[in-house]
Each structure stands twice: as structure tokens, then as C-alpha cells.
Amino acid sequence: MCGIGGWISFSNKNKPRVGVVRDVLEVLETRGTDASGITYGNWGSGAGYIKNCVRGTKLFDHEGSKKYLAEIEKAQIVLMHCRAQTQGSAENQDNNHPVFQRDGRYILVHNGQIRNDDDLFHADCDLKLKREAEVDTEALVALLDTQEDPEEAVKTLRFAVGSYAIAAMPRDKLDHVIFSRRQSPLVLSYDEKMDTLYFGSTVGSIVPYYGYCDKAAARGIKQTRLAFPWEIE
């Protein structure tokens, strides 16, 4: 079980409040503490990322990582992940999220488990995917990378057997974001005032964007500030 969360801001001016990244990571790490990471960027730009084999609340504790936090808090698109290790050592950064392939189009975060990743990467598979890491998630990003058109890329996920909730975006030029799920939870909430879409594995992972950081608020969120959280089909 892992946790994903983040935001997509459609405005150049509106960004979530300073400090919200740490608050969201604190919620997400209840779903995994073996590693954490974030990919981020602005519309039309390339994607940056930071990841390490530390729990989410420790991701920015090193001096060299603090510059990333300042960039992330200003970014229009942010995809976060906290990992519970199930396959592939967290000591190998290629196994930690966000996951991408060296020459690939997409970078993504994933919660779930793909059961046929070995089959998809097998030399006899017609898809001819190449493995660079050890995690099942890599199969999802490798599938997306086979297509240039985003709608066609999403269709390739039908080859994956198992559960997933993903958020993916292009590495070179951010002009779209892909959400898709099968059996794993994914909650979305659009803030009209901020013109921003928030997403997360649970309602609780969206709570901090609205200024709430306690369990009582999370329990009552459907009746209060989050008027319409929904689980994507």
C-alpha cells in the first residue's frame, strides 16, 4: 500500500499555501514510509523531481533538498508519493517514485500492484518493453511510453493485470496529466476559487489543501469544505 497526492493548478497566480507539501506528505506516509518522492513543473516546461529512501516527512531534511521544496511550492503541477516497499529495494532509487524510464516520455506515481509485470517485460512479449528497474510500477510507465498520443497511451494500460491508481505527466513538456485507476482508490476535488484540482489516495490526503490537518476534520469533510470529493471511475 502506497500513498499518492498532489495538485494541478490551471492558474498562473493561484498556488496552494506554503507548507502544504509537508502536510500532505505527513498524511501520505501513513500508507508507506520506505521511500518518498515528488515530480513537479509548470505548464509548458519540463518536469523536475526529487526522491529518496526516506519517509515523506524527512524528504526535505537534508540541506541540498531544501531548494526543491521552494520550487515545488511554486509549481503548477505536483505529484507526490510515499512508498511501502513490496518489490524492489528502496535503496535503488530507480525503484522509488516518481518512476520513469531513461528515454521515456512519462513520469508517474502509482498506488497498487501489477501482477503481470514480468510477463510484460519478457523477451517474447510483442510489446517489446525494456526493464530498467525492479518494481511492478515500471510496467505502467513503459506501457504509456509506447504511445505519443495521450488517449492512446491510456489505452495501453489494459495490458496491465492488477490494481493501480496513477497520476502521470510528460517529462519534456507539461501539456497534460493522466489519471487512471483500477481497483485502487483515487479521490479528486476541484477548488473553483483556486482553479486547482487536488487528488489523493484518500479524502484525508486532500484535507490539508483546505486548511484542515486533523482527523476530526477529515471525518466531516464531505459535509463541510469539500462539497464534492469523488472517486474517479
Side-chain angles (χ1 to χ4, degrees), residues 27-45:
V27 176
L28 294 180
E29 75 171 22
T30 63
R31 301 176 63 87
T33 59
D34 294 311
S36 56
I38 301 174
T39 183
Y40 62 95
N42 294 310
W43 295 114
S45 73

Side-chain angles (χ1 to χ4, degrees), residues 115-128:
R115 300 193 301 272
N116 68 331
D117 54 306
D118 288 338
D119 294 334
L120 291 171
F121 283 114
H122 196 278
D124 293 336
C125 180
D126 292 339
L127 294 169
K128 304 301 180 185

Side-chain angles (χ1 to χ4, degrees), residues 87 94-95 99-102 104 108 110 114-146 159-161:
Q87 179 179 325
D94 288 342
N95 294 330
V99 173
F100 60 92
Q101 293 196 308
R102 291 176 183 85
L108 64 74
H110 163 228
I114 304 305
R115 300 193 301 272
N116 68 331
D117 54 306
D118 288 338
D119 294 334
L120 291 171
F121 283 114
H122 196 278
D124 293 336
C125 180
D126 292 339
L127 294 169
K128 304 301 180 185
L129 306 180
K130 293 184 179 180
R131 181 159 233 162
E132 297 178 357
E134 304 163 318
V135 288
D136 56 313
T137 298
E138 189 184 13
L140 297 175
V141 75
L143 287 170
L144 293 177
D145 285 343
T146 62
F159 294 112
V161 176

Side-chain angles (χ1 to χ4, degrees), residues 24 31 53 63 81 84 108 113 154 180 183 207 212 223-225:
V24 173
R31 301 176 63 87
C53 53
E63 189 63 33
H81 187 276
L108 64 74
Q113 186 173 17
V154 173
S180 185
Q183 298 178 353
V207 168
Y212 295 127
Q223 287 75 44
T224 55
R225 295 290 292 280

Side-chain angles (χ1 to χ4, degrees), residues 22 40 49-52 58-72:
R22 289 182 183 274
Y40 62 95
Y49 74 92
I50 177 175
K51 57 181 176 178
N52 206 347
K58 301 291 185 182
L59 185 60
F60 299 106
D61 280 3
H62 299 291
E63 189 63 33
S65 65
K66 292 181 179 178
K67 66 176 183 179
Y68 291 98
L69 180 58
E71 293 176 0
I72 292 166

Side-chain angles (χ1 to χ4, degrees), residues 156-171:
T156 67
L157 298 177
R158 70 185 186 277
F159 294 112
V161 176
S163 62
Y164 60 80
I166 67 165
M169 63 186 190
R171 294 174 61 198

